[in-house]
Amino acid sequence: MIGSLPPGAVMILGALLVPLLRGRLQRAYVLALPLLGFAYFYGIGEGTFGQVPLFTYELTLVRIDGLSRLFGYLFHLAAFIGLVFSLKSSKGSLEFVAALVYAGAAVGAVMAGDLITLFVFWEILAISSVFLVWARGTERAYRSGMRYLLIQVGSGVLLLAGILIHASETGSIAFGHLGVGSLGRDLIFIAFGIKCAFPLLHNWLTDAYAEATVGGAVFLSAFTTKVAVYSLARGFAGTEALVFVGATMAAFPIFFAVIENDLRRVLAYSMINQIGFMVVGVGIGTELALNGTISHAFNDVLFKGLLFMSMGAVLYRTGRMNGSDLGGLYKSMPKTAVLCMVGAASISAFPLFSGFVSKSMVMTAALEGGYDVVWLLLLFASAGVFHHAGIKIPFFAFFAHDSGIRCKEAPRSMLVAMTIAAVLCVFNGTFPNAFLYRMLPFPVEYVPYTMGHVITQLQILFFSALAFTWLKLSGLYPPELRSTNLDAEWVYRRALPRMFGALGHAGAAAYQRLVGGTVETVRGVVGSVYRHHGPEGLWGRTWSTGTTVLWVAILLTAYLVVYYLR
């Protein structure tokens, strides 16, 4: 029956054949998979499909409705654009396989009709995506990937625990509106929050995305956080705490992005900023707010992907990503520079660009909901994003001082992918009713192009640009320094390991002083008992294989956590 197979399975299963192909045939096959997946998804229609019994529960592998449909369109489109971009820069079959499985898992997650199916795709999403970081092949990428994997799998563990508790409490695994208020649902909420990069839980994003491969960062920017935003919209719409969490997310990354030197890390902070707008919309929970959240998620994948692609092209051609090392590249990469500025205008919400027609929906919903302070924070965040993403990214990469770097223009496949994204940014911004607004889950009465809205937004952009110019000319703008940007991750990557290390050394020294030579005596007694009586004499019983494996797994996990988070 059509629809029994999750649409994401087309890319996941199709990826298994990629290593068997070579050259042009492989590239053609890779590009065909998201198109085939989209054709299959488009032919299913709305409804629930693929019901599978599991013990006393029933899984629903596919649910397509007004909320999941647009994400299905988006993820197939993002997969195709990302694969076109990666044709030249891919590290080989492994990167293609990881990207396809990752994209397929994202599609499967937003189509899941129950929490168990969501969990399965949630974990596939985590495991497949880390290879896009590791594929870069550097020590920094390896360590960032390990931290990324630990946090992502931790999110999955919390999700599974929450699902099991929720199922035991309610007897249901349906993935509908959940809300907070019980242990199971609260754990699910936290699991979604980790993947959504809530404040203090966000550094996996800024850490890993900046270390991913040239094309891997484009895929990472498209799927993980958007699956989390979808999951929050599905399960926790109207949860007021999200309004304030989202406002914090929209505001605090601006300060880090302004002083960050690595331009892909700037974009990672900018991503958290944009997700903050979406989380605010989910928290407000009205039809206008949810429409704003979903439309902004759609647009964010396009313009953020465009910015990551433009910076990926710069990295591919120059091997450099720090703003202090770049500048003057408009002479060598003029097409990339123009396409980057389209992405910058879109994320900054210039009229006629995509961010203008979606971000404002969330801000209007905040005003209508009586969240005046939140609206002011979002207004500040809108001005700030123009500073660090709208101006800083193209300025320091392509203009600013002339670094003397002369290189080739981006490869044709990269330019094609960036052009597709740029055209869609302009199309959605100029004609929002042609496709974007029509596909939203609720009827759209919002009109973005009013005189007041256009003038207000142009004023924000004008004064933000004026402030940047004045700060730059006066020398007050933070310089691009070769330095480490200390964020919340410093606590678990530096402070905690050093503290535990110091406590461990102090404890060992105290232990030696107090116990002294008795250690060897005890060891001799234990050894004698073991030799004469076997393990039963020591423990009173033998350990089963499962118990032994469990203890080994616990000790190994503890070691890995301490080692890789240091």
Side-chain angles (χ1 to χ4, degrees):
M1 177 181 176
I2 294 179
S4 298
L5 184 72
V10 175
M11 285 188 279
I12 294 174
L13 297 177
L16 302 179
L17 298 178
V18 171
L20 305 179
L21 306 174
R22 292 290 183 272
R24 292 184 178 180
L25 180 60
Q26 184 188 68
R27 293 193 292 271
Y29 176 75
V30 162
L31 294 179
L33 283 176
L35 299 178
L36 291 172
F38 175 78
Y40 174 69
F41 160 70
Y42 188 79
I44 295 175
E46 293 195 0
T48 57
F49 310 93
Q51 283 74 20
V52 178
L54 178 69
F55 303 115
T56 58
Y57 303 105
E58 184 178 73
L59 305 182
T60 302
L61 303 182
V62 181
R63 173 185 53 200
I64 302 177
D65 58 13
L67 184 58
S68 62
R69 179 181 55 200
L70 189 59
F71 281 92
Y73 291 145
L74 173 63
F75 287 165
H76 284 98
L77 175 62
F80 180 77
I81 293 175
L83 288 167
V84 171
F85 180 81
S86 301
L87 289 178
K88 191 74 173 178
S89 65
S90 173
K91 297 290 186 178
S93 298
L94 174 63
E95 188 171 348
F96 283 139
V97 171
L100 285 165
V101 173
Y102 180 40
V107 174
V110 297
M111 301 296 157
D114 65 89
L115 292 169
I116 296 296
T117 302
L118 174 69
F119 167 76
V120 171
F121 286 113
W122 195 268
E123 290 299 270
I124 296 174
L125 200 72
I127 295 170
S128 59
S129 58
V130 74
F131 289 97
L132 298 173
V133 182
W134 284 339
R136 193 172 180 187
T138 65
E139 179 65 20
R140 287 172 60 91
Y142 176 69
R143 291 189 175 277
S144 293
M146 285 302 303
R147 290 188 289 268
Y148 172 88
L149 184 61
L150 284 170
I151 293 171
Q152 294 297 307
V153 171
S155 169
V157 170
L158 290 175
L159 177 60
L160 180 60
I163 292 170
L164 295 177
I165 295 172
H166 176 69
S168 66
E169 291 174 345
T170 65
S172 172
I173 58 170
F175 185 23
H177 181 76
L178 299 171
V180 294
S182 70
L183 177 60
R185 288 176 290 165
D186 289 350
L187 288 175
I188 294 172
F189 179 78
I190 296 171
F192 290 173
I194 291 174
K195 241 180 179 62
C196 208
F198 279 3
L200 303 181
L201 303 174
H202 64 279
N203 281 121
W204 61 266
L205 193 157
T206 57
D207 185 24
Y209 284 29
E211 300 300 332
T213 63
V214 167
V218 178
F219 284 99
L220 290 170
S221 71
F223 298 121
T224 297
T225 53
K226 304 311 177 295
V227 168
V229 168
Y230 164 84
S231 300
L232 284 174
R234 174 72 70 182
F236 296 95
T239 302
E240 190 174 26
L242 288 173
V243 176
F244 306 103
V245 171
T248 303
M249 292 176 68
F252 87 86
I254 293 171
F255 302 99
F256 290 100
V258 165
I259 62 175
E260 178 58 57
N261 192 16
D262 186 313
L263 296 185
R264 289 207 299 179
R265 200 176 296 269
V266 172
L267 289 177
Y269 278 112
S270 176
M271 175 174 290
I272 299 171
N273 161 270
Q274 296 301 300
I275 295 168
F277 283 85
M278 304 172 207
V279 172
V280 168
V282 173
I284 295 171
T286 61
E287 291 187 356
L288 175 62
L290 290 175
N291 278 342
T293 291
I294 296 165
S295 61
H296 199 53
F298 191 98
N299 287 333
D300 182 75
V301 168
L302 294 174
F303 59 63
K304 191 59 60 60
L306 176 54
L307 289 169
F308 267 108
M309 284 189 284
S310 63
M311 292 301 99
V314 169
L315 179 62
Y316 179 76
R317 284 306 193 198
T318 68
R320 304 179 189 184
M321 199 72 271
N322 287 343
S324 56
D325 298 332
L326 298 172
L329 288 180
Y330 75 94
K331 300 174 182 178
S332 302
M333 307 177 72
K335 297 177 183 177
T336 304
V338 171
L339 292 167
C340 178
M341 286 190 287
V342 172
S346 298
I347 196 173
S348 304
F350 269 85
L352 303 181
F353 293 87
S354 55
F356 180 82
V357 303
S358 54
K359 187 185 296 184
S360 57
M361 296 176 75
V362 175
M363 297 180 68
T364 300
L367 272 181
E368 292 182 355
Y371 297 102
D372 296 343
V373 175
V374 171
W375 178 82
L376 288 174
L377 282 173
L378 296 181
L379 194 66
F380 165 76
S382 295
V385 74
F386 183 45
H387 254 265
H388 67 257
I391 299 177
K392 179 174 180 173
I393 292 294
F395 180 74
F396 283 105
F398 299 103
F399 305 101
H401 64 280
D402 190 343
S403 62
I405 298 174
R406 297 295 179 263
C407 59
K408 295 181 180 179
E409 178 60 272
R412 183 180 301 174
S413 58
M414 291 185 177
L415 291 174
V416 169
M418 288 188 281
T419 300
I420 294 172
V423 168
L424 291 173
C425 285
V426 175
F427 177 80
N428 281 347
T430 306
F431 307 105
N433 291 302
F435 171 77
L436 183 62
Y437 284 3
R438 289 172 52 200
M439 294 294 106
L440 293 175
F442 305 106
V444 179
E445 299 180 357
Y446 177 76
V447 179
Y449 286 103
T450 63
M451 185 65 69
H453 179 209
V454 171
I455 292 176
T456 300
Q457 186 62 20
L458 288 176
Q459 286 176 331
I460 293 172
L461 295 171
F462 173 76
F463 284 107
S464 182
L466 191 63
F468 178 88
T469 303
W470 178 75
L471 290 171
K472 190 66 181 172
L473 293 177
S474 63
L476 296 176
Y477 193 86
E480 304 306 299
L481 300 176
R482 295 173 178 85
S483 57
T484 300
N485 199 346
L486 295 180
D487 199 346
E489 64 181 332
W490 178 84
V491 174
Y492 64 82
R493 288 183 58 184
R494 292 289 184 267
L496 289 180
R498 289 177 180 175
M499 182 183 71
F500 287 132
L503 290 175
H505 288 303
Y511 177 78
Q512 288 295 330
R513 285 195 299 270
L514 291 172
V515 177
T518 60
V519 174
E520 292 300 326
T521 303
V522 172
R523 183 182 298 169
V525 171
V526 171
S528 176
V529 172
Y530 189 86
R531 284 193 299 271
H532 287 86
H533 301 284
E536 292 86 349
L538 184 61
W539 303 106
R541 60 181 175 84
T542 57
W543 279 9
S544 67
T545 302
T547 303
T548 304
V549 171
L550 176 61
W551 277 108
V552 170
I554 291 172
L555 292 174
L556 181 61
T557 301
Y559 170 77
L560 289 173
V561 169
V562 172
Y563 182 79
Y564 287 110
L565 293 185
R566 62 188 171 90

